[in-house]
């Protein structure tokens, strides 16, 4: 959410004032877009990685405040659960060897942070869902000590009026039937189980719609070839269980509202767009305020005086609608810009895998935006959404729809069609040949081996259970081996499966 909020009860007057102010923000944004008020000197990328903390037994370590103090680095911040942290990478150009430099910087930053976390009895893990989480870890007391998290929790449950239901059926393990989960939670802490990588790309206003549409078209492929979240509460569920878990953990709708077709706040969207304004306008039109805090700025007055409005209320509202590809308005040194924030990827397994996933996304996205006939004119929006859920549930075993090919496994789609496009797109972005070949080479090898982080986790647990381990012991042993290999740094497709 980004913004600090006060810990208080909101009144009807607060909500009315907030609604009016958000509308004024929207009007100001429309004026800025019409007048070409945005800066775009060069294309920049940014990166955020959500992290887990575990103890010596690979159980969640509820110690993020202590660990954050020991790390002492402003690029690390608290996240929703006390077993979470987030690292934010300063924006930089995509061109040249910047990605290689970023990989080195990330390795050093995370290694140093992990060493300091050990002083608090914790270790850092990059993984989509921590497989050793238990139901007791979802208690409200494990929210991080920040007023905004407690307030968000209370507001979501006030909207919903009843406890959260976590219900999903998994993709079967070898020689087994599908496992099912039906659980309940009285807090939003299950959302803290969903640890992701968020990729940011600064774009010119006129190019935003094409970049967002391309990101939506790629979402199902991205998650299928990078899945890393197969276990939750002891069950083998979706290859990327983060996707349904995040939706359910923050759902403000009752069953009746879902049946009426009311939109969820974790949202893929419902149409291709022609402007970033479409997305902000939908957020305002469809979703009531969760945190109706207003600031002192009148955005239209600021704009009329020749200044740059912060659009505080619109940005706060945008932070409580969790689109898988989110529009971002931001102001740096008084200059406004726009970004696409891609949110579908899980954290991990390694820094190299993370950089490869990012390079594939940026390259394929760029290539799709320059096609003579845009992909989204050949593909229904519903098909793109179904690809996301199919890729999340089945990983490399999914069948995805792609124009000109039809139904195709994700590895075949990447090798035949999207990997050449990603190479083309990275060249167009000015990425150096060594960087392009290093990261897309990892994607190619992963698709050839059909081994994602999720597949490695599932195969390892199967092997451990075949040797007599219980599910709980198998998950702990698997995670211990995962952490060891994660620190080794070799990409996940090279990891051996050992029972």
């Amino acid at each position: 959410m980004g913004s600090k909020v006060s810990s208080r009860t909101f009144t009807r007057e607060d909500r009315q004032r907030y609604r009016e102010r958000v509308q004024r923000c929207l009007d100001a944004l429309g004026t800025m877009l019409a007048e070409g008020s945005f800066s775009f000197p060069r294309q920049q990328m940014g990166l955020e990685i959500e992290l887990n903390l575990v103890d010596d037994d690979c159980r969640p370590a509820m110690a993020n405040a202590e660990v954050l103090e020991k790390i002492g680095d402003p690029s690390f911040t608290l996240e929703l659960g006390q077993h979470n942290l987030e690292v934010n990478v300063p924006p930089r150009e995509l061109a040249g060897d910047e990605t290689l430099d970023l990989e080195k910087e990330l390795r050093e930053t995370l290694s140093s942070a992990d060493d300091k976390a050990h002083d608090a009895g914790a270790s850092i893990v990059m993984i989509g869902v921590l497989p050793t989480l238990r139901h007791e870890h979802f208690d409200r007391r494990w929210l991080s000590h920040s007023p905004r998290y407690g307030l968000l929790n209370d507001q979501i449950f006030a909207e919903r009026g009843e406890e959260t239901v976590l219900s999903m059926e998994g993709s079967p393990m070898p020689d087994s039937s599908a496992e099912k989960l039906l659980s309940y939670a009285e807090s939003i802490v299950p959302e803290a189980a969903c640890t992701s990588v968020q990729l940011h790309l600064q774009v010119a206003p006129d190019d935003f719609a094409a970049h967002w549409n391309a990101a939506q078209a790629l979402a199902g492929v991205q998650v299928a070839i990078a899945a890393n979240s197969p276990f939750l509460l002891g069950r083998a569920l979706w290859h990327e269980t983060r996707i349904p878990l995040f939706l359910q953990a923050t759902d403000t709708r009752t069953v009746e509202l879902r049946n009426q077709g009311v939109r969820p706040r974790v949202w893929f969207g419902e149409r291709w767009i022609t402007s970033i304004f479409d997305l902000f306008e939908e957020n305002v039109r469809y979703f009531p305020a969760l945190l109706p805090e207003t600031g002192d700025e009148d955005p239209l007055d600021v704009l009329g005086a020749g200044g740059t409005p912060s659009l505080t209320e619109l940005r706060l509202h945008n932070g409580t609608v969790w689109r898988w590809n989110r529009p971002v308005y931001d102001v740096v040194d008084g200059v406004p810009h726009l970004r696409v924030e891609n949110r579908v990827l899980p954290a991990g397994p390694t820094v190299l895998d993370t950089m490869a996933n990012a390079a594939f996304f940026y390259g394929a996205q760029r290539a799709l935006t320059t096609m003579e006939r845009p992909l989204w004119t050949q593909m229904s929006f519903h098909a793109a959404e179904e690809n996301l859920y199919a890729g999340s549930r089945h990983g490399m075993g999914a069948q995805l729809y792609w124009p000109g090919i039809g139904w195709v496994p994700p590895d075949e789609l990447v090798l035949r069609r999207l990997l050449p496009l990603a190479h083309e797109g990275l060249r167009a972005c000015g990425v150096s040949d060594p960087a392009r070949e290093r990261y897309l080479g990892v994607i190619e090898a992963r698709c050839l081996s059909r081994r994602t982080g999720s597949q490695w986790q599932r195969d390892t647990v199967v092997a451990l259970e075949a040797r007599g381990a219980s599910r709980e012991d198998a998950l702990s042993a698997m995670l211990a081996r995962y952490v060891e290999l994660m620190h080794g740094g070799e990409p996940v497709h090279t990891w051996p499966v050992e029972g």
Side-chain angles (χ1 to χ4, degrees), residues 357-373:
N357 294 338
F360 172 76
F361 172 70
Y362 288 135
Q365 181 192 41
R366 172 62 178 268
L368 290 179
T369 64
T370 59
M371 292 176 64
E372 184 174 346
R373 184 185 176 195

Side-chain angles (χ1 to χ4, degrees), residues 238-256:
W238 292 26
H239 278 257
E240 192 49 40
T241 302
R242 275 179 49 255
I243 300 299
L245 176 59
F246 194 24
L247 186 155
Q248 294 177 16
T250 56
D251 202 347
T252 58
R253 305 168 302 166
T254 61
V255 172
E256 293 80 9

